């Protein structure tokens, strides 16, 4: 089952980070005027205290998606260390997306070649 959510990149922080290939975070979501609960809270968390939202890019730096982390465990604030870990995770996920895409292309070409032989 495919679960793709589409919306204009002009909406919410999620759209902005996708367009700018960036990361956004806040430790006070309620007062962050950029935050759009319909777009920036896909998990439908009832009370958003803090968030990190970042774009996932492949090796060619093309935006492939967005990852949202909502409400750090135990109500703690997001730290610089959290942002570093989030950056590493989104880069890793981007590499995985790129590798899966390359693998799918290789499999499709192999199937096409076998059909010719």
């Amino acid at each position: 089952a495919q679960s793709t959510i589409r919306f204009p990149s002009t909406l919410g922080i999620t759209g902005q980070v996708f367009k700018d290939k960036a990361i956004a975070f806040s430790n006070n979501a309620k007062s962050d005027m950029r935050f759009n609960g319909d777009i920036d809270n896909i998990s439908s968390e009832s009370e958003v205290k803090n968030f990190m939202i970042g774009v996932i890019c492949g090796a060619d730096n093309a935006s492939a998606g967005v990852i949202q982390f909502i409400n750090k465990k135990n109500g703690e604030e997001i730290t610089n260390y959290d942002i570093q870990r989030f950056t590493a995770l989104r880069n890793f996920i981007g590499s995985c997306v790129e590798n899966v895409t390359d693998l799918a292309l290789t499999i499709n070409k192999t199937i096409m070649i076998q059909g010719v032989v």
Side-chain angles (χ1 to χ4, degrees):
Q2 188 175 1
S3 59
T4 301
I5 301 169
R6 298 182 190 276
F7 56 89
S9 64
T10 56
L11 295 178
I13 297 168
T14 301
Q16 192 66 47
V17 300
F18 185 82
K19 191 169 64 176
D20 294 345
K21 296 180 174 65
I23 292 175
F25 78 97
S26 176
N27 280 309
N28 191 350
K30 286 182 182 180
S31 68
D32 194 322
M33 300 306 294
R34 306 171 299 162
F35 189 79
N36 178 327
D38 294 331
I39 301 296
D40 299 324
N41 183 14
I42 297 301
S43 65
S44 299
E45 186 68 31
S46 60
E47 186 179 342
V48 178
K49 296 177 182 173
N50 56 28
F51 61 83
M52 282 190 292
I53 302 172
V55 70
I56 297 170
C57 292
D60 60 356
N61 204 33
S63 298
V66 175
I67 186 169
Q68 299 176 348
F69 283 8
I70 306 293
N71 291 344
K72 187 173 175 183
K73 191 175 180 179
N74 299 325
E76 298 174 19
E77 289 197 347
I78 296 168
T79 65
N80 285 335
Y81 180 67
D82 296 325
I83 295 167
Q84 290 172 350
R85 291 175 64 198
F86 183 76
T87 300
L89 178 63
R90 75 183 184 111
N91 291 343
F92 175 73
I93 292 170
S95 295
C96 291
V97 169
E98 189 77 23
N99 289 336
V100 167
T101 302
D102 290 345
L103 181 61
L105 289 172
T106 301
I107 290 170
N108 286 337
K109 287 182 183 179
T110 301
I111 291 169
M112 287 177 11
I113 290 170
Q114 287 177 347
V116 172
V117 174

